[in-house]
Amino acid sequence: KGAIAFRDVHFAYDPQRPILKGISFDVPAGKTVAIVGPSGAGKSTISRLLFRFYDIQQGSITIDGQDLRDVTQKSLRRAIGMVPQDTVLFNDTIAYNIRYGRPDATDSEVEQAARMAQIADFIERLPQGYKSMVGERGLKLSGGEKQRVAIARTILKSPTILILDEATSALDTATEQEIQSALDIVSKGRTTLVIAHRLSTVIGADEIIVLKDGQIVERGTHRKLLEQN
Ligand code: ADP
Ligand code: ADP
């Protein structure tokens, strides 16, 4: 479920300056499509359109054949999970931060999500910068650990559609590999759109779309794109 279709989508924040200039692509249900391209190409704009933060000026976006204009923002927020580049944590335990978005989740569901994201050891701690009432100092989390909190939150939410905004790479290689394997767990069998900055992180995608200046300039598998370049 969660098949996404963009058809001749035009979008501008400011009418004088088009950002997406007629783009068409599909993310078939359960598949992973990656969008790569230089900064400013319009990649993040595509994810904002999926949440209906803005309406498009021409073309259509559908999910499972239903026009996005007929879907409420609220139900989109439920259906779409996003692992952002930077995760801001709330002033509460890591477990609370994982449960955010699914307050009904049981402790054992939270623990299982934490284990899958490999952060089970410290879910009762507070993030750094916060102090508990008993004076316990918060735990300093690395960028990678914060991202794994976001991954655990997403595993727990189990959305139909997943959007991954990949870190520009403040992460070392080992951390990046750990995160990549955690992300592979969340995205397996789920309709996934990856916003990537480098081809090397999206080797496994079913299709890679290269976006430049609001237009799709190339598309294909990782292997095909490497052969062409
Ligand atoms: P990417 O994710 O590929 O780096 P974005 O989709 O974030 O690109 O941005 C595409 C272009 O749209 C950029 O030139 C950016 O400055 C512009 N832009 C992004 N958000 C807004 C906004 N809220 N208002 C006006 N322009 C914006
Ligand atoms: P709330 O409105 O309940 O406080 P948020 O705005 O933090 O919730 O997020 C609701 C959902 O929308 C989450 O799944 C989150 O990942 C997603 N989301 C929030 N901000 C953005 C954004 N700028 N781009 C894409 N998705 C977002």
Side-chain angles (χ1 to χ4, degrees):
K1 276 203 33 178
I4 300 167
F6 272 58
R7 290 290 173 273
D8 190 34
V9 170
H10 290 254
F11 174 74
Y13 295 98
D14 159 7
Q16 306 300 316
R17 189 170 161 246
I19 300 293
L20 298 179
K21 303 168 183 170
I23 64 166
S24 301
F25 67 90
D26 286 278
V27 189
K31 302 285 185 193
T32 296
V33 170
I35 301 184
V36 300
S39 173
K43 303 184 295 295
S44 305
T45 297
I46 289 174
S47 72
R48 288 177 211 131
L49 293 179
L50 274 172
F51 280 100
R52 283 198 66 190
F53 291 159
Y54 302 92
D55 282 323
I56 59 176
Q57 280 100 27
Q58 194 185 312
S60 75
I61 304 174
T62 60
I63 294 179
D64 289 326
Q66 187 179 24
D67 198 295
L68 216 55
R69 280 170 291 198
D70 300 327
V71 186
T72 62
Q73 268 195 337
K74 194 173 171 213
S75 59
L76 288 170
R77 278 172 185 238
R78 214 175 298 132
I80 307 174
M82 168 137 174
V83 178
Q85 278 186 37
D86 281 310
T87 303
V88 179
L89 299 177
F90 303 103
N91 179 12
D92 207 316
T93 60
I94 306 295
Y96 174 91
N97 275 278
I98 294 172
R99 190 179 261 120
Y100 177 80
R102 273 237 17 232
D104 62 301
T106 64
D107 288 349
S108 78
E109 285 174 319
V110 172
E111 272 169 41
Q112 197 194 344
R115 262 201 309 279
M116 287 170 84
Q118 295 160 3
I119 50 170
D121 293 346
F122 49 80
I123 58 171
E124 293 313 325
R125 303 283 308 270
L126 293 168
Q128 190 189 38
Y130 303 122
K131 222 173 181 176
S132 75
M133 291 202 318
V134 294
E136 181 209 345
R137 297 276 307 272
L139 179 68
K140 182 174 167 54
L141 297 180
S142 67
E145 286 165 339
K146 276 192 213 164
Q147 202 169 17
R148 278 184 273 161
V149 175
I151 290 170
R153 183 185 290 164
T154 306
I155 291 172
L156 192 64
K157 182 178 172 180
S158 193
T160 310
I161 292 172
L162 180 65
I163 299 177
L164 305 179
D165 196 349
E166 292 206 321
T168 328
S169 183
L171 307 171
D172 57 75
T173 318
T175 307
E176 197 176 298
Q177 278 169 2
E178 276 178 40
I179 289 181
Q180 199 57 50
S181 69
L183 287 177
D184 288 345
I185 294 170
V186 212
S187 61
K188 196 162 173 40
R190 215 183 283 285
T191 309
T192 305
L193 187 66
V194 185
I195 297 167
H197 303 271
R198 281 165 305 157
L199 264 182
S200 62
T201 61
V202 292
I203 295 171
D206 296 294
E207 185 177 41
I208 297 171
I209 287 170
V210 183
L211 193 68
K212 270 200 187 116
D213 196 21
Q215 285 178 309
I216 295 174
V217 292
E218 271 185 283
R219 64 206 310 164
T221 59
H222 187 258
R223 176 186 294 187
K224 182 173 160 236
L225 291 180
L226 283 186
E227 279 166 3
Q228 284 169 355
N229 290 296

